[in-house]
Amino acid sequence: IVVSERRGAVVTVAINRPEVRNAVNQETARRLLQELEAFDRDPGLNVAVLHGKGGNFCAGYDLKELANHTDSLKLEQDVTKGPGPLGPSRLQLSKPLIAAVSGFAVAGGLELALLADLRVVEESAVMGVFCRRFGVPLIDGGTVRLPRLIGLSRALDLILTGRPVGAHEALAYGLANRVVPDGQALEVALQLAEQISSFPQQCLRADRASAVYSCYDAPTFTQAMQFEVDRGLPVVPLESVAGASRFSSGAGRGGTFS
């Protein structure tokens, strides 16, 4: 149902239900949550890559399960007390997650893609709020993350119409970060993950936390700035001084990343 593979400091997490376009049932949701929580706890891992086996990222929640097993569904309404229907959607990860998107990333699958920091999207991929057609609400963060990512006007266009969005429109919107040829999303996502993993990690995570969790959530500009400083200053003696010494010795001149 869910397959993970460790590659140095990077872990891949794959939904493995290709016969239903990787639609998520309760067991899949539970496993996804376990894998991403384990990633976040593991000090030896820096970046995770989420993808789907068999040509599709995720077609959302398994509506056959919703239709046939309503009595067995246990959906926690209090977001502080339990996971989302798709599993990890309520997590606030401390480390980067990249989505490698192929085929369909729709309905709840789009919401899982929105959980990621970056989305590498294949040219033939399709994204969209397809659950609009069946009266299934976005309760895995879609109405929260999508407007933050692409702006309210564009988000409402997708949320209200449920229309399909191709890779290049997604790139123009900022919904996709990279568009790659079909079959290459996972490879490119892994390359990106390895690049991100090569940087000083405490500094990277402090900057990420401020960008992801403070700039929208802090009630005032001053509080957001305070959050940034509180996360960033402790990093200076841990990583910045050593980095400054490397620069002084000639590393990184001219903007090189080697």
Side-chain angles (χ1 to χ4, degrees):
I1 294 179
V2 174
V3 180
S4 65
E5 181 181 353
R6 188 170 184 142
R7 304 187 184 197
V10 175
V11 64
T12 62
V13 178
I15 305 172
N16 189 25
R17 300 188 77 214
E19 70 281 2
V20 289
R21 291 178 172 170
N22 291 321
V24 172
N25 59 11
Q26 290 183 77
E27 177 62 16
T28 308
R30 185 183 67 82
R31 290 286 306 282
L32 282 172
L33 178 63
Q34 288 177 342
E35 291 292 345
L36 289 182
E37 284 181 329
F39 153 68
D40 213 39
R41 290 192 303 265
D42 192 329
L45 291 173
N46 294 333
V47 185
V49 175
L50 180 63
H51 67 111
K53 295 280 191 179
N56 288 287
F57 180 73
C58 175
Y61 196 82
D62 190 335
L63 295 187
K64 291 182 180 179
E65 180 171 271
L66 180 61
N68 298 323
H69 303 286
T70 304
D71 293 341
S72 66
L73 291 178
K74 297 177 182 179
L75 303 180
E76 176 56 62
Q77 185 168 353
D78 187 337
V79 300
T80 67
K81 293 182 178 179
L86 287 165
S89 58
R90 295 173 183 172
L91 292 180
Q92 293 188 20
L93 294 169
S94 65
K95 297 181 282 191
L97 173 66
I98 300 173
V101 177
S102 58
F104 286 101
V106 296
L110 174 62
E111 292 182 287
L112 282 180
L114 295 173
L115 175 64
D117 298 82
L118 302 172
R119 282 150 296 280
V120 178
V121 180
E122 294 185 359
E123 288 181 335
S124 67
V126 176
M127 309 175 87
V129 186
F130 280 22
C131 50
R132 178 60 53 235
R133 301 168 296 164
F134 301 112
V136 178
L138 296 171
I139 50 177
D140 279 279
T143 66
V144 178
R145 292 189 176 100
L146 189 61
R148 291 182 175 190
L149 194 65
I150 67 174
L152 180 60
S153 179
R154 286 171 168 170
L156 285 174
D157 178 8
L158 304 191
I159 290 169
L160 297 179
T161 68
R163 67 178 179 84
V165 177
H168 289 284
E169 183 179 13
L171 182 65
Y173 274 17
L175 181 54
N177 298 92
R178 308 278 193 281
V179 173
V180 299
D182 289 353
Q184 294 187 20
L186 180 57
E187 177 185 350
V188 173
L190 283 168
Q191 292 171 357
L192 190 56
E194 289 167 0
Q195 177 192 0
I196 292 171
S197 182
S198 72
F199 295 133
Q201 289 297 297
Q202 298 306 311
C203 178
L204 182 143
R205 292 173 196 171
D207 287 346
R208 174 189 176 276
S210 183
V212 174
Y213 300 124
S214 170
C215 69
Y216 291 104
D217 296 336
T220 67
F221 174 79
T222 300
Q223 287 172 302
M225 293 291 285
Q226 189 64 58
F227 184 98
E228 180 184 72
V229 169
D230 289 345
R231 296 304 181 279
L233 277 184
V235 172
V236 173
L238 296 175
E239 291 180 345
S240 306
V241 174
S245 297
R246 292 200 308 274
F247 177 80
S248 298
S249 300
R253 297 295 171 86
T256 59
F257 275 71
S258 59

